[in-house]
Amino acid sequence: MIRIQREDFDIGAELASLTDGNARIGGLAMFVGLVRDRASQGQISAMTLEHYPGMTERRLGEIEAEARRRWPLEGVTIIHRYGRLEPGERIVLVATTSSHRQAALDSCAFLIDWLKTKAPFWKLEEGAAGVQWVEARESDDQAAERWKK
Amino acid sequence: MIRIQREDFDIGAELASLTDGNARIGGLAMFVGLVRDRASQGQISAMTLEHYPGMTERRLGEIEAEARRRWPLEGVTIIHRYGRLEPGERIVLVATTSSHRQAALDSCAFLIDWLKTKAPFWKLEEGAAGVQWVEARESDDQAAERWKK
Amino acid sequence: MKLLYFAWVRTNIGKAEEEVAAPDHVQTVEDLLDWLATLGPQYAAALDRRNVVKVAVNHEYVEHDHPVRPDDEVALFPPVTGG
Amino acid sequence: MKLLYFAWVRTNIGKAEEEVAAPDHVQTVEDLLDWLATLGPQYAAALDRRNVVKVAVNHEYVEHDHPVRPDDEVALFPPVTGG
């Protein structure tokens, strides 16, 4: 299940809909990214997430499909917000379920690593010194690179 | 925060109390283990978790302390249930928060891997053929071994 | 050809999208970027760090030697920073 | 000495805990296991797979050569299977 939305999401409700009624699930792994109040250039007061509607859904669909090819997953949920978000707000949720713990954990890490380098989102940070587009980080490329086969 | 309890827990509420009001958090990673309806020897109808009160809390405290030594964590929650659980029920939750995504993901995987091989819990499965103590799995030892330094 | 701009490519150029009729010699992404850079200083500034500009043609990431056609949707943007 | 049994060590021996006064020659975990195995067939059965039995003294995992003392709490159990 993939959703791109402006609104916040309810972690408990999302995870419940991913697991309820499926007793083949042995493990549920989740990652949630949140807006921090500081970035490389100091305090930030908010950030605005821009994305490429249409392409975003396609790329995330491919990332989910790739995860399902690599691991025996029962379910996948990806939710990514766009628009203006303040520190402490949720940005993204990825969650996976599997009969096996390791498959859930690894696929969850894979999804967020690939999403970060492949899904067309961009962050504009608002700080004391004005607004600034976030630069892509080499560590994110390296994290995604780990999963190359 | 470590809790050993018979009752179920509310994932959304637990994660909220781990993250709310802390805008230094950039990433929240979580793993939840659930009772599956089948195990190595076929269908299971329930399992009973036994533990060693006193030692359990100490070992989990040490595992949390080790995670905090290795990664810059904002918060850690470990909840493990005991008693009789049916398929689909939650057994364990581990969750970590950090300013960095990788620290949250890695420490969460570390916590569940070490918990599985170090916390004094034992599972008794009920199936069609009667009850049976779950055998420790070598793959769990190997998973814990990855984190040896 | 429909062009879409995101993040600082968008803010530099000053618009989010436009319909363009590129000259016939524009056969690849590279040709397109060369031609766009001649359309004005804001385009030149947006495309200055040429090797950093990522390109998607019809929602697929492509390299700069990829062909472009008049009915393509071509998007230009910096490296992504979501998640 | 307080002894605690868990999982199949407990179900084989048939009790969860007991207070024992071990003979003076019981100086280590190994000595304790040897002595317990003489207390009856249920003890012998529980301790049959000797190298699989894990031991904690006062809540700390120890090896079988670890010393045991009269005021220790000693727990015997199979490899753990929680999580």
Side-chain angles (χ1 to χ4, degrees), chain A residues 44-56:
Chain A
I44 72 154
S45 52
M47 64 163 53
T48 300
L49 272 140
E50 173 174 339
H51 81 114
Y52 182 178
M55 179 164 171
T56 308

Side-chain angles (χ1 to χ4, degrees), chain A residues 116-137:
Chain A
K116 281 210 163 246
T117 55
K118 295 181 197 296
F121 285 93
W122 300 272
K123 289 183 183 129
L124 181 69
E125 289 176 348
E126 299 171 32
V131 302
Q132 188 166 332
W133 289 100
V134 174
E135 292 278 326
R137 292 187 315 168

Side-chain angles (χ1 to χ4, degrees), chain D residues 5-77:
Chain D
Y5 310 124
F6 293 97
W8 51 251
V9 176
R10 174 176 62 74
T11 49
N12 276 326
I13 290 180
K15 56 182 106 169
E17 58 178 274
E18 60 185 319
E19 200 58 49
V20 298
D24 286 350
H25 69 79
V26 170
Q27 297 289 317
T28 67
V29 167
E30 190 70 46
D31 298 338
L32 177 65
L33 297 175
D34 286 342
W35 175 68
L36 284 172
T38 68
L39 297 188
Q42 73 277 34
Y43 287 91
L47 305 175
D48 181 43
R49 293 159 66 194
R50 180 74 64 92
N51 61 334
V52 176
V53 174
K54 302 294 178 188
V55 182
V57 172
N58 303 325
H59 295 165
E60 297 287 342
Y61 287 108
V62 299
E63 298 299 325
H64 288 195
D65 60 358
H66 191 84
V68 291
R69 298 193 180 78
D71 55 352
D72 281 342
E73 173 173 308
V74 180
L76 309 180
F77 46 77

Side-chain angles (χ1 to χ4, degrees), chain A residues 33-74:
Chain A
L34 301 108
V35 181
R36 289 199 290 155
D37 61 5
R38 57 178 51 245
S40 40
Q41 71 274 17
Q43 291 287 125
I44 72 154
S45 52
M47 64 163 53
T48 300
L49 272 140
E50 173 174 339
H51 81 114
Y52 182 178
M55 179 164 171
T56 308
E57 291 79 358
R58 274 180 71 167
R59 292 283 79 76
L60 291 180
E62 284 185 355
I63 294 169
E64 173 180 348
E66 181 62 27
R68 288 180 180 277
R69 264 191 294 277
R70 295 184 183 210
W71 291 279
L73 300 180
E74 291 291 330

